[in-house]
Amino acid sequence: MWTRSVAGPRGHWFGAVRRLSSSKEADLPDFNTDVNVHEHKLRRPVPQGSWTGLDGLKERTKGSLIPETLKAMADDKDFQVTAEQLRKMGQKKLTQEERKRRQRALDQYDVPSFASMVERECGNGQLVRRPARILQLNIGLYCNQACNHCHVESSPRRKEMMSREVADRCLELLAECPSVTTLDLTGGAPELCDQFRYLAKRGRELGKTVIDRCNLTAVLEPGQEDLVDFLVENQVQVVASLPCYSAKNVNTQRGSGVFDKSIAALLKLNEAGYGLPGSGLGLDLVYNPLGAFLPPEQAQLEEKYRQELRETFGIVFNSLFTITNMPIKRFADFLYRRNELEEYMNLLVRNFNPATVENLMCRDHVSVGFDGKVFDCDFNQQLQISVTGESASGGVDVFSLKSLDSLTGQQSNTDNHCFGCTAGMGSS
């Protein structure tokens, strides 16, 4: 029997787990979250009105969400504290301080580095990159929402967007790499960024699957009236965030009015054929937890979503994916202010699942920021850990990168946040 230790109460280690080939066999002590996610609550009062139903939904969802988001940001003390810290310290120092907090939390339990954990569990501490399969572009940080779990810290105040010059170079790299089958467009709200339609259309012309990482509410923003028609015309696949099927939990996590607009957008996508059998228009949903706990079992939660969305709203979709909240940026701040960062990092470590390592996104994704900098994954991008392991200021960009194939065989760069991708059933 091949064993590993599991983090227990402060400073102690206990237990032993077999090295397993199936995640179903893994001993995951906290992978037991109730599938009734509408009953999950934060330990703080969040005033929300009760949902008023489908009647009047069209009227309630008129206009932009941005004024409501900006007002919420102005009224939110946490946003103000973070903004003041950013002003005083700058993004680089703030990111370094965030990493120190995560490491201090792990030091309380004498946890090894992520690379050491992988080596002990899987016999190989080096996560070697395979040929790239997915090119993910973060084309801008601008968003009509400001979610409290957002790992890219997007909001209507963030104006950074990809230029046409960077977009064209990304398309050149994509065209020259046959192993890449998918162009994954994310943000922010990618649809509200300048290069979205250009990249989506050109990606399809290159014969690639194109994914739109959609927050749903962007579909209803003024100026996007033809967005769904564009998506249909170009056979763009939609992967949409919907952290619950209840108004209270969605609005708590994502802002007032978001649930109404999300439901209206899903109905509009269904009407255009998205999520319907045989349409070829994929509509997948993404769940992430409300707080500091692991997601429920994915297949069971998918059935719960199907039942609730179909029976209550008449909405259908293809698949549901569950992801673990990463302990970085806004969610890290959220945990730190609630004195939950230490316990959350411990939760991630004691639910380390060796079976997730083989399919981590850093092994076959290439992540590119709006400025053209190249990273192993979207999370490393936000922490400015380049594919070279250097800070992004000294790293690789799309203009210095000869080809996507040149990354094959390199070691993926890891740090203490990576435990978020290997906890439970994984998050990649």
Side-chain angles (χ1 to χ4, degrees):
M1 180 182 292
W2 201 85
T3 65
R4 71 173 173 92
S5 297
V6 182
R10 184 183 300 268
H12 298 288
W13 292 80
F14 64 90
V17 172
R18 288 180 300 166
R19 184 182 181 193
L20 302 165
S21 59
S22 170
S23 60
K24 293 181 179 179
E25 299 173 345
D27 181 9
L28 308 173
D30 303 285
F31 187 63
N32 52 15
T33 303
D34 188 354
V35 74
N36 294 302
V37 295
H38 61 285
E39 297 177 356
H40 298 172
K41 295 177 175 63
L42 288 176
R43 294 196 304 273
R44 63 174 178 173
V46 182
Q48 300 288 347
S50 60
W51 195 64
T52 55
L54 290 172
D55 290 343
L57 183 64
K58 188 173 182 180
E59 287 298 315
R60 297 200 306 272
T61 55
K62 283 184 176 179
S64 174
L65 186 64
I66 292 173
E68 185 77 29
T69 300
L70 290 172
K71 181 180 183 301
M73 292 175 69
D75 294 341
D76 190 306
K77 292 181 180 179
D78 287 347
F79 273 111
Q80 301 311 312
V81 170
T82 300
E84 180 63 16
Q85 289 177 332
L86 183 61
R87 186 185 69 79
K88 287 182 177 179
M89 300 174 62
Q91 187 63 69
K92 184 176 181 179
K93 287 186 178 179
L94 199 59
T95 299
Q96 289 172 343
E97 178 59 27
E98 177 192 304
R99 183 193 181 279
K100 289 177 183 177
R101 289 174 179 173
R102 284 194 304 272
Q103 193 57 52
R104 283 195 291 266
L106 291 175
D107 288 345
Q108 294 287 336
Y109 299 93
D110 194 28
V111 174
S113 69
F114 181 78
S116 297
M117 180 73 92
V118 170
E119 184 170 8
R120 189 171 69 188
E121 295 291 348
C122 307
N124 182 2
Q126 291 190 341
L127 292 172
V128 178
R129 294 189 59 91
R130 297 187 286 258
R133 190 172 56 86
I134 295 176
L135 176 61
Q136 184 176 69
L137 308 182
N138 187 317
I139 62 174
L141 302 183
Y142 182 75
C143 188
N144 59 334
Q145 298 178 188
C147 304
N148 62 25
H149 66 281
C150 182
H151 71 275
V152 301
E153 296 185 311
S154 294
S155 80
R157 295 177 181 171
R158 303 298 299 268
K159 307 300 183 184
E160 302 96 320
M161 294 187 192
M162 183 174 285
S163 68
R164 179 60 64 90
E165 182 183 20
V166 171
D168 279 335
R169 178 55 183 155
C170 289
L171 290 168
E172 289 176 3
L173 291 168
L174 180 64
E176 295 166 358
C177 187
S179 67
V180 174
T181 59
T182 300
L183 177 63
D184 187 342
L185 302 178
T186 187
E191 309 90 344
L192 304 183
C193 295
D194 294 341
Q195 304 304 321
F196 174 74
R197 298 196 186 199
Y198 175 70
L199 284 164
K201 188 175 179 63
R202 289 289 293 117
R204 291 296 295 139
E205 289 171 353
L206 290 172
K208 309 298 184 181
T209 297
V210 175
I211 293 175
D212 172 20
R213 299 274 176 172
C214 183
N215 72 6
L216 290 175
T217 63
V219 172
L220 301 182
E221 281 295 316
Q224 299 299 321
E225 291 81 5
D226 64 339
L227 174 60
V228 173
D229 290 339
F230 171 84
L231 297 175
V232 171
E233 179 184 348
N234 290 279
Q235 298 283 289
V236 175
Q237 308 302 301
V238 174
V239 178
S241 300
L242 189 70
C244 194
Y245 43 76
S246 78
K248 182 177 181 180
N249 279 7
V250 171
N251 290 341
T252 295
Q253 187 181 97
R254 312 192 76 191
S256 178
V258 170
F259 184 74
D260 275 353
K261 287 180 176 286
S262 297
I263 294 301
L266 285 169
L267 290 169
K268 188 172 184 179
L269 288 164
N270 275 177
E271 185 178 352
Y274 274 93
L276 303 184
S279 70
L281 299 170
L283 174 59
D284 297 325
L285 302 182
V286 178
Y287 163 87
N288 65 285
L290 184 65
F293 49 88
L294 297 178
E297 200 280 325
Q298 184 167 283
Q300 293 179 18
L301 187 59
E302 180 178 295
E303 279 308 303
K304 183 69 173 177
Y305 262 66
R306 286 194 194 283
Q307 177 186 347
E308 294 287 343
L309 293 178
R310 182 176 59 246
E311 293 180 0
T312 308
F313 312 107
I315 289 170
V316 296
F317 62 94
N318 295 107
S319 300
L320 174 79
F321 301 113
T322 61
I323 61 172
T324 301
N325 287 325
M326 294 296 290
I328 65 175
K329 301 299 177 180
R330 278 191 200 142
F331 190 64
D333 287 342
F334 167 85
L335 294 171
Y336 182 73
R337 291 180 184 130
R338 293 162 61 91
N339 293 317
E340 294 178 359
L341 180 59
E342 180 181 313
E343 171 54 29
Y344 189 67
M345 292 304 299
N346 184 27
L347 171 85
L348 299 180
V349 173
R350 69 175 178 256
N351 288 276
F352 180 90
N353 186 350
T356 63
V357 173
E358 179 65 21
N359 293 313
L360 290 177
M361 70 174 76
C362 57
R363 306 196 74 165
D364 59 10
H365 286 47
V366 178
S367 176
V368 179
F370 68 88
D371 57 358
K373 296 292 177 63
V374 182
F375 305 86
D376 290 308
C377 71
D378 191 41
F379 305 122
N380 279 9
Q381 181 185 143
Q382 305 317 314
L383 299 177
Q384 295 293 287
I385 303 172
S386 174
V387 288
T388 61
E390 306 172 78
S391 68
S393 59
V396 174
D397 64 24
V398 292
F399 299 103
S400 60
L401 186 67
K402 182 178 179 181
S403 69
L404 297 178
D405 288 331
S406 66
L407 299 174
T408 302
Q410 289 189 14
Q411 179 181 348
S412 297
N413 295 283
T414 62
D415 203 355
N416 52 31
H417 64 286
C418 298
F419 285 107
C421 279
T422 55
M425 292 297 110
S427 195
S428 290

